[in-house]
Amino acid sequence: MNSENILSPKMLKFLPWLGAMAIFMQALDATILNTSLPTIAKELGKSPLEIQSIIVAYTLTIALLIPLSGWLSDKYGTKKVFQSAILIFTLGSTLCAFATTLPFLVISRIIQAIGGSMMVPVIRLAILYAFPKSELLKVINFITIPGLIGPLLGPTIGGILVETLSWHWIFIVNIPFGIIALWMTTFALPDFKHPVFKFDIRGLILFSGGVTVLTLIMELTSSRVIGLQTVLALIVLSIFLIGLYIYHAKHKEHPLIDLKLFSIRTLRIGIIGNLITRLGIGGMPFLIPLLLQVGYGYSATVAGLIMIPSAASNIIAKSFVVPIVNKFGYRNTLIANTIILGLIICMFFFLESKSPIYYIIPLMVLNGFFSSIQFTAMNTLSLADLDENTSSEGNSLLSVTQQLSLTFGISVAALILGVFRQVGFVDGVEVQAFRYSFLTMGVMTILSTYIFFKLRESDGSSMSGKK
């Protein structure tokens, strides 16, 4: 490893602040859009239940490009790549603010996501290289706090901006942050480089192609754009591309995603658990703001304010995760918590169109609290048995899985909601389709508990401390 810059005290002082700003920008951008979807849909002449592609395009692009970000920063330097990421993210935000059609907005979000996919991984890499292990925990804790504050403020800020100014401002707010971050790179970011192997471009094409087609199937099906024959053809194509990637990865020395990592049981169960559990719970941040505005008729600002208790309980729950896992172990914690979370989601079924707002808030608090325990437990379980040789690739695989599960969760939620809006036994009241969607997602979450029954009592004990 080499660095073109000497690590000055000034760099070590301001590098964590730059990391905190990058994480805050991404966290804010990921949540500020949720309460704005109905307004954006109205102005673009679309149904608010049919524009999830704005979110899906962003999360999918980030997921597919995360493996590339680390390779680029090692080859071309953390400073150059991070500066490029900030520029692309800010450019994408500017284009989003000027969008007048849904396709233009989706393309602008993809550009924004190209920058976003490199921002956080690259700044984390720079921090890992810059600080000794004895200081890393303190620094990482510092930079992750803004990642918790972003989701707390995002929905409310989005609602206020939409009502007082226009939806375009939810993207304009990124521009000054981008300018400040770019200025800070001139004195706060060293330019670390690493020797690299040849990037697996064929693997990226095959893996990205298979996952993109799979996401496209859910998107087009939920919008009822394509027929059954086309769906089946796309499913075959997706399976074919993913199958080709598996064959390719087994015969490639340095594949995009090393399948040998799946031989680590805790990583394998944590990754699979992330994917299948979030099919039920991953769409909640997308559905709840829509329910509040489309179903109950609340304003974007009120919908944003109602989301605060959920985000706040999510933060509070993080302090409970370690004691809970230490006492009960990963197996018991994840089995019980997944069932509880599924039952909470099912409880949303009992909300009627005239239910008072104080019926909704306790459910939001409980959903936020137990979701936080779920995500933290699954993520730390995935990393529990990684060593020095597998920690980097394992962490990258977990990051990709987290983003893909977000994408699939939103797409599945939109698909389920679309189905219930079409079937005959759900009447014309908009809330009814949401109620049956929540019930379905809750049952899916409970069924996903099966994967955690495959854990042993001792799995993850190196991290939980429970033998």
Side-chain angles (χ1 to χ4, degrees), residues 419-434 436:
V419 169
F420 282 118
R421 292 181 72 222
Q422 298 296 327
V423 295
F425 69 90
V426 175
D427 62 36
V429 180
E430 197 67 69
V431 172
Q432 295 295 83
F434 282 98
Y436 284 99

Side-chain angles (χ1 to χ4, degrees), residues 280 341-343 345-346 437-447:
L341 202 45
L343 292 173
I345 296 171
C346 288
S437 297
F438 287 127
L439 183 62
T440 304
M441 289 163 61
V443 171
M444 285 170 56
T445 302
I446 293 170
L447 292 176

Side-chain angles (χ1 to χ4, degrees), residues 284 287-288 291 296 341-355 359-360 363-364 367 416-417 420 423 425-427 429-443 446:
M284 295 297 282
L287 283 187
I288 292 174
L291 169 71
Y296 288 97
L341 202 45
L343 292 173
I344 292 167
I345 296 171
C346 288
M347 291 293 289
F348 279 85
F349 172 78
F350 297 101
L351 293 174
E352 297 286 353
S353 55
K354 295 181 180 178
S355 295
Y359 283 13
I360 302 171
L363 290 178
M364 301 278 288
N367 183 65
I416 293 170
L417 184 62
F420 282 118
V423 295
F425 69 90
V426 175
D427 62 36
V429 180
E430 197 67 69
V431 172
Q432 295 295 83
F434 282 98
R435 291 176 63 224
Y436 284 99
S437 297
F438 287 127
L439 183 62
T440 304
M441 289 163 61
V443 171
I446 293 170

Side-chain angles (χ1 to χ4, degrees), residues 13-34:
K13 180 181 178 181
F14 287 104
L15 179 57
W17 285 97
L18 181 60
M21 181 175 288
I23 289 174
F24 176 77
M25 285 171 66
Q26 192 176 69
L28 183 69
D29 188 71
T31 54
I32 198 171
L33 192 62
N34 290 339

Side-chain angles (χ1 to χ4, degrees), residues 30-44:
T31 54
I32 198 171
L33 192 62
N34 290 339
T35 49
S36 313
L37 288 177
T39 304
I40 296 173
K42 185 178 178 181
E43 293 201 16
L44 297 181

Side-chain angles (χ1 to χ4, degrees), residues 229-240:
Q229 287 183 330
T230 310
V231 170
L232 292 174
L234 288 174
I235 290 173
V236 170
L237 176 60
S238 178
I239 293 171
F240 177 70

